[in-house]
Amino acid sequence: MIEQPKPSALSKQIEEMVEWLASYGKDNSGGVTRLLYDPAWSAAQKAIQARIELLGLSARYDDVGNLFGRLSGRDPEANVVLTGSHVDTVIGGGKYDGAYGIIAALIAVEYLLTHYGQPLKPIEVVSLCEEEGSRFPMTYWGSGNITGVKEREAVHHINDVNGIPFEQAMHEAGFGLGLHAQPTRKDLECFIELHIEQGQVLEREEKSIGIVSHIVGQRRYNITVYGQSNHAGTTPMHWRHDAMFTSAELIRILMHRANAHESGLVATVGRMEVKPNVGNVIAREVTFSLDVRHSDAKIIEQFCEACFSDFETFTSEHGTTVTCHKWMDEPPVAMDCTLNQTAEDILKREGISYKRMTSGAGHDSQIFGTHCPTGLLFVPSQGGISHSPAEFTHTEDLQRGVRLLIDLLYKLAY
């Protein structure tokens, strides 16, 4: 058992650092906007770099803009224990998403260095350059480059909403020019990400920490229903081939099956396009989105197959047709059992309530999880609100996460 920071001092440090990092990109609504390679992003990375150097760690960037702070280990052959999260935000986002993981890592490493000196294995804090995909249609650019999943060719023809090419923005921020080391890493012992939950499970169940077993797989489809346009007043109901009515029933089928599922599967229809989209005309074509998530790829497959079989039956009975275009199929990713058990042992010893759970949202940990042993830990989000200026986590909960990270890093590296 290691000595932990005094609660009052730790609370003050966390609160100050949350506001400090939020000041880079803060807007008039109280939200935070730091988009990949924009001025607020650059200012935040430079501020974190200065903080890293102030702590006595060595700071360096890689060639895509990931920032690392290294505490060298006594064993020159040991691999790196990496911890941190992403510095970018959504537009008008909150203070905690991504930022908390970086802040917690800085506080934990500073405490360990001050109280226990040099570790056996090197520890690195990482401020990942991008996760959200908020500026460019590209997600996990930071972790994807570290793990070798992403390649420079993938961004050659990508622009932001203002028409600025990805590579131009990267070059203007000082990256992608060969001035820094290439990002791919082969020396990682493990990756630990501490994050706000962005959901309501921990708060509702009154648990202090979430230990993530899996990050869910995701399938996304565009479902298109084809019918026949006709006059709204002169076409009897039983003669219609109504794409809107059919779509409503298909969505009902989806929601009924998802609600009846007992394994935590979720299905979402969030977007719909109607043609001709005129109030007094029967719709001839409707396209709606479908997002299905679960921690077991087989369950996702079985759910989709069952729903689509029902779709074919219903449309054939009502004079319409349907196509289902799959455009995303990300498999679930398991977090490391040994890391999770270590975290659980710490929490049991300290008498801190916790829950083993899946993550319904994507995180950098799902990219690292296929590359090296990875642990993803959650603290509660008030009301489950995230990607919003109203995003909030109580300082006491933030504290528990930092304390767990300190203990975990000590066990892994000292």
Side-chain angles (χ1 to χ4, degrees), residues 233-251:
T234 63
T235 311
M237 296 300 291
H238 60 282
W239 290 353
R240 298 181 178 210
H241 307 289
D242 189 342
M244 179 65 86
F245 167 72
T246 300
S247 297
E249 286 298 305
L250 300 191
I251 293 169

Side-chain angles (χ1 to χ4, degrees), residues 91-378:
I91 296 172
K95 300 176 183 177
Y96 303 91
D97 180 7
Y100 171 58
I102 299 168
I103 290 165
L106 289 169
I107 292 172
V109 173
E110 177 187 19
Y111 181 83
L112 289 169
L113 176 59
T114 301
H115 289 79
Y116 296 96
Q118 187 181 24
L120 176 65
K121 299 176 182 178
I123 304 173
E124 290 189 18
V125 174
V126 62
S127 176
L128 295 162
C129 65
E130 192 276 337
E131 185 251 22
E132 298 285 4
S134 296
R135 182 176 182 185
F136 299 97
M138 170 68 70
T139 56
Y140 307 116
W141 181 242
S143 54
N145 271 274
I146 292 171
T147 58
V149 173
K150 301 291 186 182
E151 297 180 354
R152 287 287 295 276
E153 290 75 14
V155 300
H156 281 344
H157 305 292
I158 291 178
N159 298 336
D160 68 11
V161 294
N162 296 313
I164 299 173
F166 189 107
E167 291 189 313
Q168 177 184 326
M170 181 164 54
H171 294 165
E172 289 175 352
F175 300 102
L177 302 168
L179 302 177
H180 305 281
Q182 291 305 301
T184 306
R185 300 285 295 268
K186 303 288 187 182
D187 62 340
L188 299 183
E189 176 87 3
C190 61
F191 174 65
I192 307 294
E193 184 173 19
L194 186 57
H195 208 280
I196 59 169
E197 182 196 347
Q198 299 178 281
Q200 301 181 55
V201 174
L202 293 176
E203 183 183 55
R204 283 177 176 258
E205 297 190 13
E206 299 182 337
K207 304 295 185 183
S208 296
I209 297 290
I211 300 175
V212 176
S213 62
H214 294 79
I215 298 176
V216 297
Q218 299 183 42
R219 277 206 192 174
R220 297 187 188 180
Y221 292 86
N222 287 328
I223 312 295
T224 302
V225 177
Y226 300 95
Q228 184 180 68
S229 288
N230 215 328
H231 197 288
T234 63
T235 311
M237 296 300 291
H238 60 282
W239 290 353
R240 298 181 178 210
H241 307 289
D242 189 342
M244 179 65 86
F245 167 72
T246 300
S247 297
E249 286 298 305
L250 300 191
I251 293 169
R252 187 194 62 80
I253 290 169
L254 286 167
M255 296 303 108
H256 176 75
R257 282 193 170 275
N259 280 314
H261 223 284
E262 297 180 351
S263 66
L265 177 141
V266 294
T268 303
V269 174
R271 179 181 56 81
M272 179 177 282
E273 297 175 1
V274 182
K275 295 178 182 178
N277 202 28
V278 177
N280 62 348
V281 178
I282 298 165
R284 72 170 183 272
E285 182 179 321
V286 175
T287 298
F288 60 90
S289 63
L290 172 61
D291 180 312
V292 183
R293 305 188 188 201
H294 195 270
S295 59
D296 187 330
K298 289 183 179 179
I299 288 177
I300 295 176
E301 175 70 23
Q302 291 167 357
F303 174 84
C304 291
E305 285 184 354
C307 288
F308 296 164
S309 176
D310 289 348
F311 285 7
E312 291 293 341
T313 300
F314 187 88
T315 55
S316 66
E317 292 173 351
H318 289 82
T320 52
T321 58
V322 63
T323 61
C324 304
H325 171 63
K326 180 173 65 178
W327 61 273
M328 176 189 285
D329 191 358
E330 292 187 355
V333 177
M335 299 294 96
D336 185 72
C337 293
T338 301
L339 290 174
N340 281 354
Q341 188 60 57
T342 302
E344 187 171 346
D345 291 344
I346 293 168
L347 294 168
K348 284 181 177 178
R349 185 195 71 207
E350 297 295 327
I352 297 171
S353 63
Y354 66 91
K355 178 182 177 66
R356 283 187 175 260
M357 62 189 298
T358 59
S359 172
H363 294 281
D364 287 301
S365 288
Q366 75 189 65
I367 308 300
F368 281 107
T370 61
H371 182 75
C372 65
T374 297
L376 176 58
L377 303 166
F378 286 157

